[in-house]
Amino acid sequence: MRITQEPFGSAEGTDVRRWTLERGGIRVRVLTYGGIVQSVQVPDRDGVPGDVVLGFPDLTGYLKRPEPFFGALVGRYANRIAGGSFTLDGRTHRLPLSGGPNCLHGGERGFDKRVWDAREITDGVLLSRVSPDGEEGFPGRLEVSAAYTLDPDGALRIAYRARTDAPTVVALTNHSYWDLGSGPHELRVAASRWTPTDATGVPTGAFAEVAGTELDFRAGRPLSVPLDHNFVLDEGGPDAVAELYAPDTGRTVTVETTEPGLQVYADPGLGGVALETQHFPDSPNRPEFPSTVLRPGEVLVSTTRFRFGTR
């Protein structure tokens, strides 16, 4: 296991560092700006290494084009909150409308646009910051961290923790776009249901079966249509909740998570597939969804692993 760091420019007068984690032929690079996974280099079936996430070679690229959220740590709330508002304990909180008529991925300047503190830990790097009370309209002073490590099997593990001093809502994810080869990809998702949305991408509150639809990826199938959907992961299913496969290179990335949902975002214009492990969109306004409320004295703990292989 080798861990190094180096300067990577500055954002708003704050120095940015790039951390490199290397183990067993896997190399992961993480930026302190936005908690961004800049690159993940893994071998194909012939042993030839290649980068499998979309990103930019320098910090300027991320500063000039933040909207795709390439590789970013998204928060305080990943995905959409309808109308940019929610009510908690009788108090309504107003958030920036950063995604059409909704608040998207934490507001206008969410966690993806902040410089994080960093320190080396066993097998990786720990990023941390304090989000002050009222940041982007969210209540409570939030202490949050994300540990990026390479496990002995070469899997990239991202472990999130958060504490608050006042009731708030929190949902965190990584927004890497996976590009495992130059040809079409195949996707498998262990989900029998999904959450239909309105025209703005906000769930209606219903749960729909994937059986008989283009969203049935339970047995694995080619990705042939654009996607931006939240899948309800099956309870008691396999630890590996999803797998993406590129037949031309043989590369696979298998996703394991403690989260209840998986937002799959496949945009042909970008050329990658985002597998965002997270809570459901608009959960603060949907009591029928798993709760994203965090209260003083509680600790949010969430872990996702991306395991790499070949066929």
Side-chain angles (χ1 to χ4, degrees):
M1 182 75 197
R2 184 167 180 260
I3 303 172
T4 58
Q5 61 166 305
E6 61 190 319
F8 200 73
S10 65
E12 298 185 356
T14 302
D15 290 339
V16 174
R17 309 287 294 183
R18 178 169 72 178
W19 288 73
T20 300
L21 318 179
E22 298 177 270
R23 184 174 216 159
I26 309 292
R27 187 186 74 187
V28 175
R29 283 180 162 163
V30 178
L31 309 182
T32 56
Y33 178 76
I36 289 170
V37 176
Q38 185 205 13
S39 69
V40 177
Q41 191 172 80
V42 300
D44 64 11
R45 64 163 63 96
D46 297 319
V48 179
D51 192 3
V52 295
V53 295
L54 303 184
F56 297 107
D58 53 39
L59 185 61
T60 301
Y62 294 100
L63 297 176
K64 287 186 174 180
R65 196 182 177 196
E67 189 170 306
F69 301 93
F70 283 148
L73 195 172
V74 177
R76 282 190 193 192
Y77 198 93
N79 219 307
R80 296 166 178 85
I81 295 180
S85 71
F86 66 93
T87 300
L88 179 59
D89 295 343
R91 180 182 174 188
T92 298
H93 301 274
R94 304 292 179 183
L95 314 172
L97 301 182
S98 53
N102 308 308
C103 180
L104 175 67
H105 290 337
E108 295 176 345
R109 190 163 175 244
F111 288 178
D112 60 295
K113 300 175 184 67
R114 309 283 179 170
V115 179
W116 293 63
D117 295 327
R119 65 177 176 87
E120 184 174 333
I121 57 175
T122 302
D123 296 333
V125 58
L126 180 72
L127 302 188
S128 61
R129 71 178 299 264
V130 174
S131 175
D133 178 31
E135 185 173 78
E136 296 298 301
F138 289 93
R141 177 184 184 272
L142 191 75
E143 298 177 2
V144 60
S145 67
Y148 297 71
T149 57
L150 278 182
D151 287 349
D153 64 354
L156 170 61
R157 180 189 297 266
I158 306 179
Y160 308 95
R161 293 178 66 88
R163 296 176 183 269
T164 183
D165 67 354
T168 191
V169 296
V170 186
L172 308 172
T173 194
N174 172 264
H175 209 295
S176 290
Y177 291 82
W178 301 94
D179 182 12
L180 307 180
S182 59
H185 287 47
E186 296 178 9
L187 177 66
R188 180 184 61 79
V189 180
S192 303
R193 298 181 299 163
W194 67 291
T195 52
T197 63
D198 63 19
T200 71
V202 170
T204 62
F207 293 90
E209 299 291 325
V210 302
T213 76
E214 291 184 330
L215 298 181
D216 191 350
F217 290 96
R218 289 174 294 177
R221 59 184 290 183
L223 276 169
S224 58
V225 296
L227 289 178
D228 191 9
H229 299 86
N230 171 61
F231 290 86
V232 180
L233 297 174
D234 291 339
E235 293 184 12
D239 290 337
V241 300
E243 181 186 72
L244 191 66
Y245 167 58
D248 62 331
T249 64
R251 291 190 182 100
T252 63
V253 58
T254 302
V255 182
E256 303 165 358
T257 189
T258 59
E259 291 297 286
L262 178 73
Q263 185 84 12
V264 178
Y265 181 55
D267 183 347
L270 292 174
V273 182
L275 303 172
E276 306 163 57
T277 58
Q278 57 187 249
H279 271 257
F280 304 164
D282 201 34
S283 290
N285 293 312
R286 292 289 177 183
E288 63 269 36
F289 288 175
S291 176
T292 56
V293 174
L294 183 67
R295 298 186 180 278
E298 300 175 344
V299 182
L300 177 149
V301 179
S302 171
T303 302
T304 294
R305 276 193 0 131
F306 299 100
R307 183 162 42 87
F308 311 107
T310 58
R311 292 191 206 163

